[in-house]
Amino acid sequence: MTPKDKATQLVDTYLELGKDFTRGVSMQEFSKECALIAVDEIVEAMKFNRWQNRNEIEYYQEVKQEIENI
Protein backbone atom coordinates (compact mmCIF):
# COMPACT_ATOMS: atom_id res chain seq x y z
CA MET A 1 0.00 0.00 0.00
CA THR A 2 1.39 3.39 -0.92
CA PRO A 3 1.61 6.20 1.66
CA LYS A 4 -1.15 8.02 -0.20
CA ASP A 5 -3.39 4.91 -0.11
CA LYS A 6 -2.77 4.49 3.63
CA ALA A 7 -3.51 8.15 4.30
CA THR A 8 -6.76 7.87 2.37
CA GLN A 9 -7.68 4.69 4.23
CA LEU A 10 -7.12 6.31 7.62
CA VAL A 11 -9.06 9.45 6.72
CA ASP A 12 -11.93 7.34 5.37
CA THR A 13 -11.96 5.25 8.56
CA TYR A 14 -12.27 8.31 10.77
CA LEU A 15 -14.79 9.86 8.39
CA GLU A 16 -17.09 6.87 8.80
CA LEU A 17 -16.63 7.05 12.55
CA GLY A 18 -17.49 10.76 12.48
CA LYS A 19 -20.78 10.01 10.77
CA ASP A 20 -21.76 7.85 13.75
CA PHE A 21 -20.67 10.61 16.13
CA THR A 22 -23.09 13.02 14.50
CA ARG A 23 -25.88 10.48 14.99
CA GLY A 24 -25.71 10.62 18.77
CA VAL A 25 -22.71 8.49 19.69
CA SER A 26 -21.16 9.82 22.89
CA MET A 27 -17.80 11.55 22.86
CA GLN A 28 -16.50 8.72 25.09
CA GLU A 29 -17.48 6.05 22.55
CA PHE A 30 -16.11 8.13 19.68
CA SER A 31 -12.79 8.58 21.53
CA LYS A 32 -12.60 4.87 22.34
CA GLU A 33 -13.11 3.93 18.69
CA CYS A 34 -10.38 6.38 17.62
CA ALA A 35 -7.99 4.96 20.22
CA LEU A 36 -8.75 1.39 19.12
CA ILE A 37 -8.03 2.30 15.50
CA ALA A 38 -4.70 3.85 16.54
CA VAL A 39 -3.69 0.78 18.57
CA ASP A 40 -4.60 -1.53 15.68
CA GLU A 41 -2.41 0.56 13.37
CA ILE A 42 0.51 0.37 15.82
CA VAL A 43 0.22 -3.39 16.21
CA GLU A 44 -0.08 -3.90 12.47
CA ALA A 45 3.10 -1.86 11.88
CA MET A 46 4.98 -3.86 14.50
CA LYS A 47 4.05 -7.17 12.89
CA PHE A 48 6.60 -6.56 10.13
CA ASN A 49 9.30 -7.39 12.70
CA ARG A 50 7.17 -9.58 14.93
CA TRP A 51 10.10 -11.39 16.54
CA GLN A 52 11.71 -8.10 17.60
CA ASN A 53 8.48 -6.47 18.72
CA ARG A 54 6.71 -9.31 20.48
CA ASN A 55 6.81 -7.59 23.89
CA GLU A 56 5.52 -4.33 22.45
CA ILE A 57 2.79 -6.16 20.54
CA GLU A 58 1.68 -7.86 23.75
CA TYR A 59 1.74 -4.50 25.53
CA TYR A 60 -0.48 -2.85 22.91
CA GLN A 61 -2.85 -5.81 22.92
CA GLU A 62 -3.23 -5.23 26.67
CA VAL A 63 -3.72 -1.51 26.03
CA LYS A 64 -6.48 -2.40 23.57
CA GLN A 65 -8.20 -4.57 26.20
CA GLU A 66 -8.02 -1.72 28.70
CA ILE A 67 -9.51 0.72 26.19
CA GLU A 68 -12.37 -1.69 25.58
CA ASN A 69 -12.98 -1.84 29.36
CA ILE A 70 -13.27 1.94 29.72
Side-chain angles (χ1 to χ4, degrees), residues 25-42:
V25 174
S26 72
M27 187 62 173
Q28 171 116 1
E29 285 301 313
F30 181 76
S31 298
K32 282 175 63 173
E33 288 299 317
C34 290
L36 290 169
I37 291 167
V39 169
D40 286 342
E41 288 294 320
I42 292 167

Side-chain angles (χ1 to χ4, degrees), residues 36 39-40 43 54-70:
L36 290 169
V39 169
D40 286 342
V43 169
R54 66 182 174 273
N55 292 333
E56 288 82 2
I57 291 171
E58 287 178 21
Y59 170 78
Y60 278 104
Q61 288 171 337
E62 289 177 25
V63 168
K64 185 174 179 175
Q65 289 174 346
E66 292 300 326
I67 292 168
E68 290 169 344
N69 291 332
I70 293 175

Side-chain angles (χ1 to χ4, degrees), residues 20 50 58:
D20 288 339
R50 183 181 298 264
E58 287 178 21

